[in-house]
Amino acid sequence: MKKTLSIVLLISFIFTFLSACEAKEEEFVPEYIVDIGDGIDLNGKEYIIRDTVHHGDTPLIPTSMENALDDMLLEHYEQTEKALNCELSLLVNNGDIAQNIASGLKYADLINCQFGPIFSYFKAGIAANYNDIPGIDIHCGKFGSENLLDALTWGNGTYGVVAEYWGIPTPYFNDACMFNPRILRTYSQPSPHELWENNNWNFDTFTDIAVAVTDLTSNPDFPIYATGLNSYFIRAAFFASGATVAKENEDGTLSYNLPSKEADTAAEWLKKLNNELKVLDPNTSGSWEYYCDMFTGGQYAFLAEYSWVGLSKDNGRVGLNMEEEFSWVPFPRGPLGNKDVLATYADANFAMFVPINGETDEIGYVMTELFEPLYEGNNYGWREDFEREVFWDETSYNLYIRILDSAVSDNMLYASSSNLVNNLSAVVKGTKSVQQAFSEIADKVQAQLDSEYNDFINK
């Protein structure tokens, strides 16, 4: 039997009122529908979804006939509107939400933005707690992994979720590593997939492959390197070694956690690759596009990047420009790394939050329908036309999912990542020791942790 949302709420209110009159000692709490099916009618109401412009694109606002994913998203929006009898308005996130709320104006019902602003909105009291929004079960599996929800949980509330099953490449995470199987075969090297399966994919086996594939003499005009010493490779090595910028204390506050044995291990490995073995591209000042082009052009065997590289249409320098196959694998583990943690959430993550002055009594029902997977079996990115742009082999897809599900927060949200990368780079290039590099910024980073996080938590 179909029931409109207004009827459900009205009946709940009447029942609550009568129950209170008949037995005041019993408090009736209305049960909201989570599995909405075809049972909700929102009477044509409009719900505003705002998306952040990223690299010139808005992933949630697709363009018809642009690619397979865009067409699927457009169709999915239409299906959601028909299922709930509502209207979805997709707008660019280009205004001041705090100013709108202060003026009593509704800015949006759902907003996609980076983790940092969401935490700021939480501190300002203008982001709704998903635990208080009816009609949604954020722990059902389609709103992000439990580790991801933990990264978006502060105090007693969770303030962000991720539409990862739409095929949109969020959240970003570090420790994603792509490789060129042809180059490895050319130099008779084992597949990282096989090494992974045998629990032997680590700093040492990566080093062996890096030495074997680096070829600067066969064709001097077309040198081949293991990879480039870009900031993502440095960060991935740092976290794969088990190092962390900040640790959580028993009282919930964060403390600066460097220098450490784990950080020193990562730095020494990078120094060996760069200075002793010389298997890394000496162009350490290359742009992001440069490193991607070196990989797609067949001059890098590996490319470490944020997870979205090769996944999204706007950042498709790998997926769209690659003329031959490429594969995915977790970043090799350091000797002190946690084998169960295959990735860390990076500071540029995107998630979706609900402003407190939006339609908080109804948006949960919209999101429950809206966040249904686009692809059968939750296999986003491994279907039809989108397959070529993303994964060349099913093993890579399965490992990508494992990387995504195992990622944990690295607390870089509350401290500038440039401090980490710049100082590790200085260590690798030999201009600073590990002790010097991290001790000299200890006070600065701790001040960031205090101002951005601890001072609020301690209130």
Side-chain angles (χ1 to χ4, degrees), residues 426-437:
V427 173
V428 173
K429 296 172 185 177
T431 59
K432 294 181 182 179
S433 67
V434 173
Q435 182 70 34
Q436 177 189 4

Side-chain angles (χ1 to χ4, degrees), residues 355-415:
I356 57 170
N357 71 334
E359 303 296 341
T360 55
D361 287 339
E362 301 161 6
I363 193 62
Y365 298 96
V366 176
M367 292 180 66
T368 296
E369 179 72 26
L370 193 63
F371 278 52
E372 280 296 304
L374 290 184
Y375 300 88
E376 294 180 6
N378 295 347
N379 282 338
Y380 61 98
W382 182 249
R383 285 293 183 270
E384 302 172 354
D385 295 339
F386 199 50
E387 174 183 343
R388 166 63 182 87
E389 300 175 16
V390 184
F391 300 100
W392 284 80
D393 58 84
E394 193 165 5
T395 299
S396 292
Y397 169 76
N398 291 332
L399 283 175
Y400 173 80
I401 298 302
R402 291 187 64 176
I403 294 170
L404 181 66
D405 289 341
S406 76
V408 298
S409 177
D410 54 30
N411 291 319
M412 283 300 293
L413 172 62
Y414 316 105

Side-chain angles (χ1 to χ4, degrees), residues 69 163-170 311 374-375 380-381 386:
L69 175 61
E164 57 189 34
Y165 291 121
W166 287 4
I168 298 166
T170 55
L311 294 186
L374 290 184
Y375 300 88
Y380 61 98
F386 199 50

Side-chain angles (χ1 to χ4, degrees), residues 150-194:
D150 286 344
L152 292 160
T153 296
W154 302 290
N156 296 320
T158 300
Y159 295 86
V161 297
V162 172
E164 57 189 34
Y165 291 121
W166 287 4
I168 298 166
T170 55
Y172 299 178
F173 50 78
N174 245 23
D175 300 21
C177 189
M178 290 169 278
F179 66 92
N180 185 319
R182 177 195 56 79
I183 292 179
L184 270 56
R185 288 194 300 267
T186 298
Y187 292 91
S188 302
Q189 293 305 296
S191 167
H193 285 166
E194 296 177 3

